[in-house]
Amino acid sequence: MSTIPTIELNDGTTIPQLGFGVFQIPPPETARAVDLALQAGYRHIDTAEMYGNEKGVGEAIRASGLDRDDVYITSKLNNGFHRPDDARRAFAETLEALGFEQVDLFLIHWPLPTLYDGDFVSTWRTLEEFRADGRARSIGVSNFQVAHLERLAAETATVPVVNQVELHPYFHNADVRAHGESHGIATEAWAPIGQGKVLDDEVIEAVAEETGRTPAQVTLRWHIQRGSIVFPKSVTPERIEENFRIFDFELSDEQMGRIDALDRGEAGRNGPNPDVFDYVPR
Ligand code: NAD
């Protein structure tokens, strides 16, 4: 089994660079999918309160017989619970649903700058409490733009360990990633294969042909070589294994450059723009 590289975070902890994402996996199917991922060798699972499937994640980890310490677990705050008291209650529910006393990483899922009077700072201070009491080993953010990160830096004492943002060959999210790089915030790339959309790209197909790999493996390898953390999602056993086999080949600088050139800037974004996204589950 290949060894998964780790990335050192700004609080001294480490995170496996490859994980398994469970967005849109229906709750009843989650334990089975996570079980397949753990069997394939993944040791990092990315879930969220809003995915509704934290319980299945915890069940599969317990059933695997692996030590809790051997699996890195991330969850994220529900958009409806940014106010400090709500966040405290929601975080306790996350731990209860997972069935563990601690998560490795807890994130503010979206900044929601048009809600809560634009106040994500008190939400961040609430996450600082979870880190201080040890229930979250690390804390970070997701979908934060540069201005949001600058505001946290100006008003609080803790730099997020990661910023989890949309990032794939069609959307490099370049300024957010560059800001993270210069401020010690690791970049996690969500939708690393563009939710499947980049897989029939001519350039990616050509590089796949040249390396004898699949388009998904080439795309994930591109992220790994750029230093991003990825957690592709699949419920198909063959794809779960395929996405894991990315540490026994390398892309040349020339191949990396051809994939780099696919960036479409803002036009390549698939998901919502965090400056205006205001979804709250009802
Ligand atoms: P992804 O880029 O991982 O693509 C997933 C889709 O690609 C799946 O539907 C699957 O059918 C297909 N696929 C997977 N492997 C394949 C393969 N080898 N060949 C062909 N098709 C394949 O997209 P995602 O699930 O949106 O993102 C990954 C993870 O990122 C999520 O599961 C979640 O954990 C996280 N995420 C976070 C946010 C956020 O706001 N923080 C948003 C979206 C996703």
Side-chain angles (χ1 to χ4, degrees), residues 96-113:
E96 194 181 323
L98 285 165
F100 294 121
E101 288 173 3
Q102 186 192 53
V103 287
D104 296 280
L105 177 60
F106 196 64
L107 309 179
I108 299 182
H109 204 149
W110 289 88
L112 308 174

Side-chain angles (χ1 to χ4, degrees), residues 21-23 46 51 76 109-110 142-143 164 190-196 199 216 231-234 239 242-243:
V22 298
F23 177 44
D46 184 90
Y51 304 166
K76 319 184 190 86
H109 204 149
W110 289 88
S142 178
N143 299 300
Q164 181 178 129
W190 67 253
I193 54 174
Q195 293 168 337
L199 300 182
F231 22 80
K233 172 254 171 183
S234 174
R239 287 176 172 175
E242 172 187 334
N243 296 344

Side-chain angles (χ1 to χ4, degrees), residues 128-145:
E128 287 179 319
E129 294 172 13
F130 307 155
R131 200 194 56 163
D133 68 26
R135 291 180 300 157
R137 261 175 86 215
S138 298
I139 54 173
V141 295
S142 178
N143 299 300
F144 272 46
Q145 304 277 54

Side-chain angles (χ1 to χ4, degrees), residues 6-29:
T6 53
I7 300 277
E8 185 165 344
L9 303 177
N10 68 29
D11 61 0
T13 62
T14 55
I15 183 171
Q17 199 179 359
L18 173 69
F20 181 69
V22 298
F23 177 44
Q24 289 177 327
I25 303 186
E29 289 173 36

Side-chain angles (χ1 to χ4, degrees), residues 163-191:
N163 187 15
Q164 181 178 129
V165 294
E166 180 178 349
L167 203 171
H168 45 74
Y170 289 163
F171 182 57
H172 289 202
N173 220 332
D175 49 345
V176 171
R177 180 169 175 270
H179 179 93
E181 213 158 70
S182 56
H183 291 78
I185 304 169
T187 297
E188 296 194 324
W190 67 253

